[in-house]
Amino acid sequence: MIQLLLRRYYALPRNIKILILISGFLSIIWLIYFAFFRPNPNGWARVSKVGITLPLRYPIHGIDVSHHNGEIDWKKVVKMRFEDDYKIEFAFLKATEGITHADRQFERNWEHVKKAGLKRGAYHFYIAWREPVGQAKNFINSVKLKKGDLAPVLDIEQNSLKSDDKIIREIGIWLDLVEKHYGKKPIIYTNPNFYKKFIKGNYDDYPLWIADYSRESLKGYKSTLWFWQHNKNGWVEGIRGTVDFNVFLGNKADLDDLCL
């Protein structure tokens, strides 16, 4: 195979052979730059303990889970240390979905996360083709937030046949009802496409949690961006299978400000 390629290469016109050599040389230069000299402002580093790269510029790391993660040993989660004594410091738990569904692991997770000493938060998975009032009531009836808990979270990542304007208005209804009940502005969790389509320019004053696995740094978001879900394939002691990894973009005082 190699001999065949070499014969074909030598048969090419001289100018084509020169172009191939230059292209190969530039590719090697780029690979060397990419491996050793590219800017790394977020301190991305491979952490074998969790099986993924982490942005170690940020010291506060956390996870989010649902019943898909099974029964979790939160004592092991809180004891785990990785890369210069980093640890899991917060956990968001799926509480509800749509108008009637409640996550079957929520109550257990909610209790055990508190006992383990982690910051805890609860999120509602929003179904865009359902009406927002019933969805807000489902969350409110299922989640009893206490002082020190993170603000409630609206997870919006599904579209529907409704118009964009109607979806935007109904998101606002959920946010208003939940904020009035808990006395705290909810956090909005979404992805880059949904952020641009439904959140940006409409709900810029709400704390933002973005799920973006494709970038080494985040650009184009407002100053209210606080949480970054950067990978969904991490490993944590006490959890079977992979888990979503998040980082908090502020300091401990900022994290406390997002709590009740």
Side-chain angles (χ1 to χ4, degrees):
M1 181 65 178
I2 295 175
Q3 291 179 342
L4 176 61
L5 291 174
L6 286 173
R7 285 200 297 270
R8 290 182 176 179
Y9 170 77
Y10 289 127
L12 292 171
R14 183 170 180 272
N15 60 333
I16 300 298
K17 287 190 285 188
I18 292 173
L19 284 175
I20 291 173
L21 288 173
I22 292 173
S23 297
F25 176 75
L26 291 175
S27 296
I28 292 171
I29 295 297
W30 171 247
L31 287 172
I32 292 172
Y33 168 79
F34 189 81
F36 298 104
F37 300 107
R38 61 175 175 160
N40 186 17
N42 287 325
W44 288 99
R46 177 78 179 180
V47 179
S48 58
K49 190 74 176 287
V50 299
I52 58 174
T53 56
L54 296 177
L56 296 179
R57 168 189 173 186
Y58 304 105
I60 304 175
H61 299 261
I63 57 177
D64 61 275
V65 300
S66 70
H67 70 275
H68 294 293
N69 299 102
E71 190 168 300
I72 296 171
D73 187 335
W74 289 101
K75 290 181 180 179
K76 289 184 178 180
V77 173
V78 78
K79 287 180 181 178
M80 180 183 176
R81 296 293 183 271
F82 51 91
E83 199 67 22
D84 296 331
D85 209 35
Y86 284 92
K87 58 185 178 181
I88 301 300
E89 298 193 48
F90 65 88
F92 285 107
L93 318 173
K94 183 178 180 180
T96 51
E97 178 178 328
I99 294 173
T100 59
H101 179 74
D103 190 275
R104 62 178 176 267
Q105 287 290 336
F106 174 70
E107 289 188 3
R108 181 186 182 279
N109 284 335
W110 192 244
E111 177 186 354
H112 285 259
V113 169
K114 184 71 170 179
K115 287 181 179 178
L118 298 176
K119 288 278 189 191
R120 63 180 184 178
Y123 71 89
H124 174 80
F125 189 86
Y126 189 80
I127 305 297
W129 56 89
R130 299 291 190 184
E131 55 88 13
V133 175
Q135 296 197 66
K137 289 180 178 178
N138 186 19
F139 183 83
I140 289 167
N141 292 335
S142 300
V143 180
K144 312 303 178 188
L145 296 178
K146 296 181 179 180
K147 184 175 176 59
D149 291 335
L150 286 158
V153 178
L154 176 65
D155 177 345
I156 173 71
E157 53 185 290
Q158 283 193 345
N159 212 330
S160 77
L161 295 178
K162 297 176 183 177
S163 69
D164 290 352
D165 287 342
K166 187 170 185 181
I167 292 175
I168 291 168
R169 287 195 304 272
E170 291 186 346
I171 287 172
I173 292 171
W174 192 98
L175 293 170
D176 287 341
L177 289 171
V178 171
E179 181 176 355
K180 287 176 182 176
H181 179 79
Y182 295 104
K184 191 75 176 179
K185 235 179 224 318
I187 299 165
I188 298 174
Y189 167 96
T190 193
N191 58 52
N193 290 334
F194 272 66
Y195 170 75
K196 293 172 185 176
K197 192 172 185 179
F198 299 116
I199 307 304
K200 186 176 182 180
N202 299 303
Y203 301 108
D204 292 335
D205 55 338
Y206 284 82
L208 181 64
W209 173 13
I210 199 74
D212 191 336
Y213 315 128
S214 63
R215 301 182 183 184
E216 293 188 347
S217 60
L218 294 174
K219 296 179 181 179
Y221 298 101
K222 299 293 182 179
S223 60
T224 54
L225 175 60
W226 287 112
F227 294 95
W228 179 8
Q229 186 186 89
H230 56 82
N231 202 301
K232 58 184 177 179
N233 294 309
W235 294 94
V236 175
E237 292 176 9
I239 302 179
R240 293 190 299 274
T242 56
V243 64
D244 298 336
F245 260 70
N246 303 269
V247 69
F248 183 67
L249 306 182
N251 57 37
K252 289 187 182 295
D254 296 323
L255 187 63
D256 288 339
D257 286 342
L258 289 174
C259 295
L260 270 64

